[in-house]
Amino acid sequence: DTAVSQTPKYLVTQMGNDKSIKCEQNLGHDTMYWYKQDSKKFLKIMFSYNNKELIINETVPNRFSPKSPDKAHLNLHINSLELGDSAVYFCASSQEGRGEAFFGQGTRLTVV
Amino acid sequence: GDSVTQMEGPVTLSEEAFLTINCTYTATGYPSLFWYVQYPGEGLQLLLKATKADDKGSNKGFEATYRKETTSFHLEKGSVQVSDSAVYFCALSDLAGSSNTGKLIFGQGTTLQVKP
């Protein structure tokens, strides 16, 4: 049973396309996150939802839109993909008040 | 704003050597501190944590002590193995700060390669 699972693991797509990445956690956590890892391995938060409410929205192009249908799911939709969007995207979850987060396996997005 | 700085990598060691990866932080509040490990092709796994000054986190032979006076959280292991080869990330979460969002702020990561 994977605690935080995201799909797909790999995504190769052309510039201008729209794509989605899905994330689900079965840990009963109330907070979920999207992090982006660039080619130099640097990790930066993009979004966070707590109980389906958006609480963090870092400086991210509005082509990126997160959606949380319920506490256990947080999806990331990206419109009009650009070459610079190529990265590994990690979903994570945590319980409010506890700092440690549990991460999914990552989605490697390659825009060609 | 809050930040984390790690020593530059890559770090290359022989098996059974002593490991230290330096990490220092800047925070306005009283953060919790973490070390995460990322094995090739995988996600991040929590390695250890410390939530207040002088706490020592430990796991799988790795240790780190929360030093408030030097704002540091250096990772150490007495004898590394080839299987420890990975990227190590120091991170903080300022749960007591004004944002209290639980977001993690990461250092830039340090690649460790252990040779047989």
Side-chain angles (χ1 to χ4, degrees):
Chain A
D1 249 5
T2 305
V4 182
S5 60
Q6 51 182 113
T7 55
K9 189 169 182 180
Y10 300 98
L11 187 53
V12 181
T13 187
Q14 291 188 326
M15 275 196 307
N17 283 350
D18 303 339
K19 290 292 179 186
S20 292
I21 306 171
K22 296 188 175 183
C23 179
E24 175 181 7
Q25 55 97 1
N26 63 7
L27 297 167
H29 289 164
D30 54 14
T31 306
M32 296 184 73
Y33 310 85
W34 280 109
Y35 285 85
K36 179 179 180 180
Q37 185 174 46
D38 64 22
S39 59
K40 295 183 179 178
K41 301 280 188 186
F42 186 66
L43 279 150
K44 193 170 189 302
I45 192 160
M46 301 173 68
F47 302 103
S48 175
Y49 271 76
N50 177 270
N51 284 315
K52 302 197 297 175
E53 181 184 344
L54 181 66
I55 58 171
I56 297 176
N57 185 350
E58 296 285 308
T59 308
V60 176
N62 58 15
R63 297 181 295 104
F64 291 78
S65 53
K67 282 192 173 46
S68 180
D70 55 58
K71 269 177 37 172
H73 295 84
L74 179 62
N75 303 322
L76 182 65
H77 188 75
I78 316 170
N79 289 327
S80 303
L81 278 154
E82 300 177 357
L83 293 175
D85 298 331
S86 296
V88 181
Y89 293 85
F90 286 101
C91 177
S93 72
S94 69
Q95 185 59 31
E96 186 176 10
R98 296 178 64 88
E100 67 261 38
F102 293 81
F103 284 77
Q105 294 284 77
T107 296
R108 182 174 293 278
L109 171 65
T110 304
V111 183
V112 297
Chain B
D2 296 353
S3 65
V4 176
T5 303
Q6 289 179 236
M7 63 188 286
E8 290 279 339
V11 174
T12 303
L13 295 173
S14 297
E15 210 164 20
E16 300 183 3
F18 185 85
L19 169 71
T20 300
I21 300 178
N22 290 338
C23 171
T24 57
Y25 68 90
T26 302
T28 51
Y30 300 93
S32 293
L33 301 174
F34 307 88
W35 277 100
Y36 281 83
V37 59
Q38 184 178 25
Y39 297 103
E42 297 185 13
L44 280 80
Q45 300 175 27
L46 178 65
L47 182 59
L48 54 84
K49 68 176 183 179
T51 57
K52 60 183 188 297
D54 300 325
D55 268 2
K56 177 186 281 189
S58 61
N59 186 25
K60 299 181 182 178
F62 291 90
E63 291 183 341
T65 301
Y66 189 143
R67 301 275 186 213
K68 188 164 177 283
E69 63 275 15
T70 54
T71 61
S72 65
F73 193 54
H74 304 321
L75 182 69
E76 295 182 337
K77 186 175 185 183
S79 175
V80 293
Q81 305 300 312
V82 172
S83 58
D84 293 326
S85 298
V87 182
Y88 292 81
F89 293 92
C90 186
L92 70 81
S93 181
D94 191 1
L95 295 174
S98 57
S99 62
N100 193 19
T101 58
K103 76 176 184 182
L104 288 164
I105 295 171
F106 286 92
Q108 66 268 43
T110 302
T111 299
L112 170 65
Q113 184 177 22
V114 180
K115 296 189 172 179

